Amino acid sequence: MNKKLIFPKRKKKKSRVQNKMGKAPGTISYTGDKERSDSIIFSTAYNTDILEINEFKQLDQFLAKKNKGLITWVNVVGISDEPFIDRLGKHFNLNPLVLEDIVNTEQRPKIDEYEDYIFGVFRMLYITPEDEILGEHIAFVLLEDTVLVFQEVKEDVFNGLRDRISNKLGRIRSKGSDYLFFALLDAIVDNYFLAIENLNHRIEVLEDEVYQNPEPVVAQNIQQLKKEVLKIRRWIYPVKELISRLIDSENPLITKDTKLFLRDVLDHAIEINESLQIYREMSMSLMEMYMSNMSNKMNEVMKVLTIMASIFIPLTFIAGIYGMNFDNMPELHYKYGYYCVWGVMIILFVGMIFYFKKKKWL
């Protein structure tokens, strides 16, 4: 008697959407896939004469620190510590919906203006040593003298900005928090150009492979590239509109001088969007080129096979006739009949090869 096998049920991992379902708006629920860890605050406070750089692993230590009269860049690394984010948000009187978006790593780029602050979500793109484009969720809160930055991992694109602050390069030490907000946004947008260059290089490589060696793996690479272009476009495309909103905003947190610099970021965002549109069309046309080249390659093979079949059809016809087992076939008793048949077949073979070459079919 056969026993019925009973397999244990596997626990299904909840998706990010399922993690948020049924929860009230404003609920702080981390949706990322990074390993949960404690949040760390890197604080940079400055003016034209003073620079204070501190690291706080305990939130109470940061809250006890006072930076009156200084512009403060509060860089929070790690957003999976939900109680930490909740306490920090309440300290700065942030709306619960803002805190929800800070820990929602799937949040699309956005800008929301509140009475006392401006909140923004963007994607920070950078290239890994393996030449892969990664997109990290990053959130900003612009206050009167403070800019809060929330990111998942410590790696970012702000090292150049940190050097400018430390070495008093440029005008940043003499400007307000709105200029710091612009500088952070400018660093993110400038790094988009590296991602665009990476896509351009990969498209050029695939174009060469499509023409020289259109193997099935090339089609897989093209499909992967198309998905990546669409993903990056979804991250970058809204940025142009968001920057335009900041320029047109009448919020007193952004001064007229800073709006002039934001126009430069807007120009870069427009250029990047135009390049992305071109690369999107090129990635789609690559598949058409691949299919066309594969079809041409197949046609070449079929042409050779057809020519070979055309050459051997008359030879097979002759061999078939003299392979019949009839007694009354005069040529079968001819002394040199075998050699004559071979001669005719060779002449036909050489003649047809010469004819095909003359027609440029070979």
Side-chain angles (χ1 to χ4, degrees), residues 58-163:
Q58 300 295 328
L59 182 57
D60 292 333
Q61 296 176 354
F62 169 75
L63 297 179
K65 180 73 174 177
K66 304 297 181 182
N67 294 316
K68 291 185 178 180
L70 301 179
I71 302 301
T72 307
W73 171 11
V74 180
N75 194 359
V76 181
V77 176
I79 58 175
S80 60
D81 191 346
E82 296 160 358
F84 185 100
I85 300 299
D86 184 39
R87 283 190 61 198
L88 184 64
K90 289 178 178 178
H91 175 77
F92 287 100
N93 296 320
L94 301 183
N95 190 293
L97 295 176
V98 170
L99 300 180
E100 179 186 8
D101 289 339
I102 286 174
V103 298
N104 180 13
T105 59
E106 293 301 307
Q107 175 63 49
R108 69 184 301 274
K110 63 181 291 187
I111 288 287
D112 289 333
E113 295 187 36
Y114 293 83
E115 184 177 354
D116 300 324
Y117 57 89
I118 296 176
F119 171 67
V121 174
F122 297 91
R123 278 284 174 171
M124 180 173 57
L125 305 185
Y126 54 90
I127 312 297
T128 66
E130 293 77 22
D131 205 33
E132 180 185 0
I133 300 175
L134 289 184
E136 293 290 348
H137 169 82
I138 188 166
F140 298 98
V141 179
L142 169 63
L143 297 111
E144 185 176 357
D145 295 320
T146 305
V147 177
L148 304 177
V149 179
F150 299 86
Q151 56 192 73
E152 287 190 271
V153 293
K154 188 175 181 180
E155 291 76 15
D156 55 34
V157 298
F158 304 132
N159 288 335
L161 178 58
R162 294 186 180 96
D163 293 339

Side-chain angles (χ1 to χ4, degrees), residues 259-283:
K259 289 182 179 180
L260 293 177
F261 293 103
L262 284 173
R263 292 184 188 278
D264 182 63
V265 182
L266 177 61
D267 291 339
H268 292 170
I270 293 173
E271 181 182 350
I272 290 169
N273 279 348
E274 290 175 349
S275 299
L276 267 178
Q277 182 63 26
I278 293 173
Y279 295 153
R280 178 173 175 268
E281 295 174 357
M282 291 177 66
S283 65

Side-chain angles (χ1 to χ4, degrees), residues 188-226:
I188 289 176
V189 173
D190 283 347
N191 217 62
Y192 288 165
F193 282 105
L194 296 179
I196 295 299
E197 290 177 2
N198 179 273
L199 290 178
N200 182 36
H201 173 70
R202 290 168 60 183
I203 289 175
E204 290 177 352
V205 170
L206 283 175
E207 280 183 339
D208 294 339
E209 291 180 353
V210 165
Y211 280 114
Q212 298 174 5
N213 188 27
E215 298 293 333
V217 67
V218 176
Q220 298 176 8
N221 293 336
I222 293 173
Q223 193 65 24
Q224 182 65 30
L225 176 66
K226 287 172 60 179

Side-chain angles (χ1 to χ4, degrees), residues 172-303:
I172 190 167
R173 292 278 291 270
S174 61
K175 294 290 185 178
S177 60
D178 59 330
Y179 190 87
L180 173 61
F181 178 79
F182 147 75
L184 292 165
L185 185 57
D186 183 58
I188 289 176
V189 173
D190 283 347
N191 217 62
Y192 288 165
F193 282 105
L194 296 179
I196 295 299
E197 290 177 2
N198 179 273
L199 290 178
N200 182 36
H201 173 70
R202 290 168 60 183
I203 289 175
E204 290 177 352
V205 170
L206 283 175
E207 280 183 339
D208 294 339
E209 291 180 353
V210 165
Y211 280 114
Q212 298 174 5
N213 188 27
E215 298 293 333
V217 67
V218 176
Q220 298 176 8
N221 293 336
I222 293 173
Q223 193 65 24
Q224 182 65 30
L225 176 66
K226 287 172 60 179
K227 292 180 180 179
E228 194 157 358
V229 170
L230 292 175
K231 179 177 66 176
I232 293 173
R233 185 174 182 270
R234 187 174 66 252
W235 290 339
I236 294 179
Y237 186 77
V239 173
K240 176 176 69 70
E241 179 185 351
L242 299 180
I243 297 174
S244 297
R245 285 178 54 189
L246 289 174
I247 294 173
D248 297 335
S249 172
E250 297 180 358
N251 196 306
L253 288 173
I254 302 179
T255 63
K256 291 183 179 180
D257 291 340
T258 301
K259 289 182 179 180
L260 293 177
F261 293 103
L262 284 173
R263 292 184 188 278
D264 182 63
V265 182
L266 177 61
D267 291 339
H268 292 170
I270 293 173
E271 181 182 350
I272 290 169
N273 279 348
E274 290 175 349
S275 299
L276 267 178
Q277 182 63 26
I278 293 173
Y279 295 153
R280 178 173 175 268
E281 295 174 357
M282 291 177 66
S283 65
M284 296 177 69
S285 64
L286 275 176
M287 185 58 74
E288 297 177 2
M289 292 165 53
Y290 170 81
M291 296 302 296
S292 177
N293 284 352
M294 287 295 291
S295 179
N296 292 337
K297 188 176 180 180
M298 183 62 68
N299 289 340
E300 289 293 326
V301 173
M302 293 303 298
K303 184 177 72 173

